[in-house]
Amino acid sequence: MIVRKTAPEEARRVNELFAICFEMPYTNCPADPEKDDATHWAAFDEDGEMMSTFTVSDFTVQFDGSPCKMGGIGGVATLPQYRRRGGIRACFREALPDMYGSGYDFSYLYPFSTAFYRKFGYECCVQKQLVTVDLRLLRTSYFEDTYRLAEPGRDLSEDVWAVDQAWYRAYNMSVLHGRSDYRWVTGLDPAAGDKYLYVWYDNGAPSAYVRFQPEGDTLQCDRFRFTSARGFRALLGLLQTMSTDRSHARFYLPESKALRYLLPEWSLGAVRWQLLCGGMVRVVRVREVLEKAKCIGTGQVTLEITDHQIPENTGVYRVSFRDGRVTQAARTDAAPDAALTIPALSALISGVCSFTEAAQWMPGAELKTPNPALDQLFYKKEMFIEEDF
């Protein structure tokens, strides 16, 4: 088996392989030979036949107040006749050390099997709530004259970008976008069948927006973002004005118990929550990620990290922090306070839960020596991601 990055002239075959595996139109596939800046890895048999492939796309994500380079894994595919031969495993074996050398902090993917991707160091990360509300049972306020609909001749891209900037800062793993990434807002024409996008303004400042498409009796919202409780209520009030034609609205919220209290009615089927897996994360460069972590107060912990795919990460690290920020993350020969596999570290540093909780329930998290500072480095953080790749 030969594993390597594909050449530009092989982009068509990458797309053909993906289209065959997922039974989808060729035009919806991951590699664009005209403007493709992603990295495509492939496994070939001895005759040069492409068997398996996946794509690593570059993103910048928010992590504890710092922008971090993230490799989004997508387009994972193996032709049926070559499955169970280790093609994807071989691609990860080559790609992960290459990502380490290229300066990636994290990698992220949406799994078809969580058990399969744990083998490569990934662990479940973001969870999100799919919320379905019965608009006929809600009593919310509609804020008059403070909504604008994106239409031809009305460019709301700067206002949407402004709302997203506040949103990004609140959630780890959120993908950070520049202004040039908001061309999708410009030229929206709901009268011609495009999605509806409304921005709500609080005293003239853009403070919330929603994008939705009516489907049957439901308003399917693929973006529902707000910077305050007032903004949430304003969006819900707008959607409720459409309840004569659409009985329900569906949107995603971060996994936050407090956010549930924004909904004014819980009884009689007014709201339903469904908790969904929002992907898996992997730390690619351990020391660099530890250095960027936000902590609670002042303390010091010693961690033993095991990473079978990227041996440069394996070792014992002393992490010192003061006033909430790491001052040093360095190798040491000292006895560890905790031992973590790379999947466990990836979940904990992202903010899945406290170390105390992880040591009780999470595979790969082991307490060696009691140290209260472990819960100052590893604790529950807000997380959210909506990007597809």
Side-chain angles (χ1 to χ4, degrees):
M1 183 184 301
I2 300 170
V3 177
R4 60 172 173 80
K5 297 176 184 178
T6 62
E9 60 269 21
E10 293 174 307
R12 180 177 182 86
R13 185 54 182 165
V14 171
N15 276 352
E16 289 174 343
L17 191 148
F18 189 86
I20 292 168
C21 293
F22 289 92
E23 302 176 1
M24 64 187 300
Y26 175 89
T27 53
N28 289 347
C29 296
D32 182 347
E34 299 298 325
K35 48 178 182 178
D36 184 17
D37 57 0
T39 300
H40 306 283
W41 287 89
F44 302 81
D45 69 8
E46 291 74 10
D47 297 324
E49 179 72 18
M50 188 181 294
M51 303 186 300
S52 304
T53 183
F54 66 65
T55 298
V56 181
S57 300
D58 287 358
F59 294 92
T60 301
V61 295
Q62 138 77 11
F63 168 67
D64 284 6
S66 297
C68 290
K69 186 178 181 180
M70 182 269 277
I73 307 295
V76 181
T78 299
L79 288 171
Q81 65 269 33
Y82 294 114
R83 289 174 185 169
R84 302 187 184 279
R85 296 194 187 183
I88 294 299
R89 181 188 300 272
C91 288
F92 271 110
R93 186 179 62 239
E94 300 297 324
L96 287 169
D98 184 80
M99 293 169 69
Y100 178 93
S102 299
Y104 288 84
D105 294 306
F106 293 97
S107 180
Y108 207 92
L109 53 79
Y110 299 103
F112 75 91
S113 165
T114 54
F116 178 79
Y117 286 111
R118 282 191 181 108
K119 299 175 184 178
F120 310 117
Y122 292 83
E123 189 51 271
C124 295
C125 182
V126 173
Q127 290 188 320
K128 53 187 179 182
Q129 301 175 99
L130 176 59
V131 183
T132 303
V133 296
D134 189 329
L135 299 171
R136 300 163 300 183
L137 297 179
L138 300 183
R139 295 292 178 267
T140 56
S141 300
Y142 178 81
F143 298 78
E144 293 185 1
D145 301 323
T146 53
Y147 301 86
R148 292 177 188 162
L149 173 65
E151 298 182 83
R154 177 182 288 166
D155 185 0
L156 301 181
S157 57
E158 281 288 323
D159 297 340
V160 172
W161 177 85
V163 174
D164 275 354
Q165 294 310 296
W167 183 268
Y168 294 151
R169 288 194 294 271
Y171 300 105
N172 275 358
M173 296 301 120
S174 285
V175 175
L176 306 174
H177 288 289
R179 285 179 168 86
S180 62
D181 293 329
Y182 285 81
R183 297 187 185 95
W184 59 269
V185 179
T186 305
L188 282 175
D189 189 357
D194 289 342
K195 294 180 179 180
Y196 295 76
L197 187 146
Y198 282 91
V199 179
W200 177 74
Y201 299 80
D202 190 1
N203 294 318
S207 301
Y209 76 90
V210 60
R211 185 176 70 175
F212 62 86
Q213 183 76 52
E215 294 181 10
D217 66 349
T218 301
L219 299 173
Q220 300 283 0
C221 308
D222 63 352
R223 287 182 178 247
F224 192 93
R225 295 185 175 175
F226 47 93
T227 61
S228 66
R230 186 170 151 82
F232 178 92
R233 290 193 294 270
L235 294 184
L236 212 58
L238 172 69
L239 297 179
Q240 193 183 22
T241 65
M242 307 173 199
S243 61
T244 54
D245 300 308
R246 314 290 174 180
S247 58
H248 291 78
R250 185 173 289 125
F251 50 86
Y252 291 100
L253 289 180
E255 180 202 12
S256 169
K257 293 180 174 61
L259 284 178
R260 295 186 178 190
Y261 288 90
L262 292 172
L263 290 156
E265 180 60 69
W266 291 24
S267 302
L268 304 174
V271 59
R272 299 193 304 273
W273 289 281
Q274 183 181 1
L275 192 62
L276 302 175
C277 174
M280 301 178 78
V281 68
R282 191 201 202 282
V283 171
V284 176
R285 295 178 67 89
V286 168
R287 184 177 61 81
E288 286 77 2
V289 168
L290 289 173
E291 288 175 340
K292 295 176 182 178
K294 184 180 291 185
C295 310
I296 300 172
T298 299
Q300 180 176 282
V301 300
T302 305
L303 306 172
E304 181 182 10
I305 308 299
T306 303
D307 187 343
H308 295 299
Q309 290 78 29
I310 307 176
E312 293 89 342
N313 284 330
T314 296
V316 179
Y317 298 79
R318 175 175 286 134
V319 184
S320 303
F321 50 94
R322 178 178 297 278
D323 299 328
R325 302 306 307 194
V326 172
T327 56
Q328 185 181 44
R331 302 273 187 161
T332 180
D333 294 326
D337 300 316
L340 298 172
T341 61
I342 197 67
L345 172 69
S346 300
L348 281 168
I349 201 68
S350 300
V352 167
C353 64
S354 69
F355 180 84
T356 297
E357 187 176 355
Q360 183 177 10
W361 303 111
M362 185 183 291
E366 179 185 359
L367 177 64
K368 295 286 190 178
T369 303
N371 183 349
L374 286 166
D375 282 336
Q376 296 172 252
L377 175 61
F378 301 121
Y379 55 94
K380 182 76 173 77
K381 305 171 187 176
E382 297 296 334
M383 298 183 292
F384 197 63
I385 187 170
E386 289 182 297
E387 214 68 28
D388 294 324
F389 43 83

